[in-house]
Amino acid sequence: MPMAVSFTPKERYTIEDLLEIMRLLRSPEGCPWDREQTHESIRSDFLEETHEAVEAINLRDAEGLKEELGDVLLQVVFHAQIEAEEGRFDFGDVVDGIAKKLIVRHPHVFADASADSSAQVWKSWDAIKRQTKGGKTQADLLRAVPRSLPALMRAAKVQSRARRVGFDWPDVSGALEALDSERAELGQAMASGDAREIEEELGDLLFSAVNVSRFLHTDAEQALTLASDKFIRRFTAVEELAARQGVDMASAPLSELDRLWEQAKKQSAAADGAAE
């Protein structure tokens, strides 16, 4: 029988305890699965745990958020422990780095600079970031937006960084005109039948839609999530209506499905009105 590692149970644990638990899990006496993991093997876990934390925020679930933030913290500790074993850096270096960054980028709090608005804070943050990053060009800052971000989120961040140097429409009307233009260009690409051109123009259309959402101060990722939720609710209602009316959705003509869809929309609108 394998020997248990030495660890004293506590009523309440600290970050030091969590670091020690992870060190023990990765030790020769620890867990075989934990010892086998690499940055690459648990990379997707990091993304999944982050999304679950965001979901808890969306649901305003404080208890769930507490748990999910712990799962995110575990991922940070896990990756830091892997690096500590290689002698490159440890969790303390991670904490030191972010603390120093916050102090340097908030001179209006920790030094004698001033900032009376969020806009001034962002302008100062951007200037300091460029300086500390070695004087990168604006294009470098755009390229620095991670490609691993959800595409809509990445598009919004790229557009926001371009806006900081005035590369933007003066108001939403220009963004809307660009959206119409991209829609027309997609139609032309579809007429040509060129798959690569269709993909490019569809991407331009989506990019333009994100631009409109940014001008409207609406998160494109959240807007699309809500639209997907709405579609699922209405599809569910269509399926229920079809069952009650004896309609086989798999064989029904599109005109019949459209009729059920419009009926589901009216029911949804009536329910929303009653809720108000």
Side-chain angles (χ1 to χ4, degrees), residues 66-80:
K66 179 179 69 174
E67 179 181 351
E68 299 304 340
L69 287 177
D71 291 342
V72 172
L73 179 58
L74 171 60
Q75 294 301 311
V76 175
V77 168
F78 208 146
H79 286 281

Side-chain angles (χ1 to χ4, degrees), residues 37-240:
Q37 301 315 303
T38 65
H39 290 308
E40 292 74 21
S41 69
I42 59 173
R43 175 174 49 198
S44 61
D45 295 339
F46 211 151
L47 286 172
E48 181 178 346
E49 300 299 356
T50 302
H51 282 295
E52 289 181 0
V54 171
E55 181 71 2
I57 292 172
N58 292 340
L59 295 174
R60 300 182 184 275
D61 179 1
E63 194 64 26
L65 179 59
K66 179 179 69 174
E67 179 181 351
E68 299 304 340
L69 287 177
D71 291 342
V72 172
L73 179 58
L74 171 60
Q75 294 301 311
V76 175
V77 168
F78 208 146
H79 286 281
Q81 177 60 30
I82 292 172
E83 285 299 304
E85 292 162 8
E86 297 296 328
R88 289 187 283 262
F89 67 81
D90 61 16
F91 184 78
D93 295 317
V94 175
V95 173
D96 178 67
I98 188 58
K100 287 176 177 174
K101 180 186 291 186
L102 288 172
I103 292 170
V104 168
R105 295 190 183 179
H106 289 82
H108 53 290
V109 176
F110 301 106
D112 55 1
S114 62
D116 299 323
S117 68
S118 296
Q120 288 180 320
V121 170
W122 272 112
K123 184 176 181 180
S124 173
W125 178 284
D126 190 45
I128 295 170
K129 185 174 183 178
R130 287 201 305 273
Q131 182 180 359
T132 56
K133 291 290 185 179
K136 285 187 175 181
T137 66
Q138 294 296 335
D140 286 334
L141 292 177
L142 266 60
R143 282 190 289 268
V145 178
R147 296 186 79 249
S148 58
L149 282 176
L152 297 179
M153 185 184 299
R154 181 176 180 235
K157 289 185 73 68
V158 167
Q159 292 167 4
S160 294
R161 292 190 180 187
R163 180 180 178 81
R164 295 178 194 174
V165 292
F167 196 82
D168 202 6
W169 301 106
D171 55 51
V172 71
S173 62
L176 285 169
E177 290 177 7
L179 184 64
D180 290 339
S181 175
E182 295 299 347
R183 167 63 183 85
E185 291 181 13
L186 175 60
Q188 294 170 6
M190 291 170 62
S192 73
D194 187 321
R196 289 186 61 182
E197 186 179 356
I198 290 172
E199 180 182 52
E200 179 179 346
E201 296 302 340
L202 179 59
D204 290 345
L205 179 63
L206 292 171
F207 192 83
S208 294
V210 172
N211 221 358
V212 171
S213 74
R214 186 171 52 84
F215 273 101
L216 298 178
H217 307 291
T218 299
D219 186 306
E221 199 78 33
Q222 176 69 359
L224 185 55
T225 295
L226 293 175
S228 296
D229 291 342
K230 181 170 66 175
F231 179 85
I232 292 171
R233 288 196 304 272
R234 289 184 177 173
F235 184 90
T236 302
V238 166
E239 191 172 40
E240 292 171 350

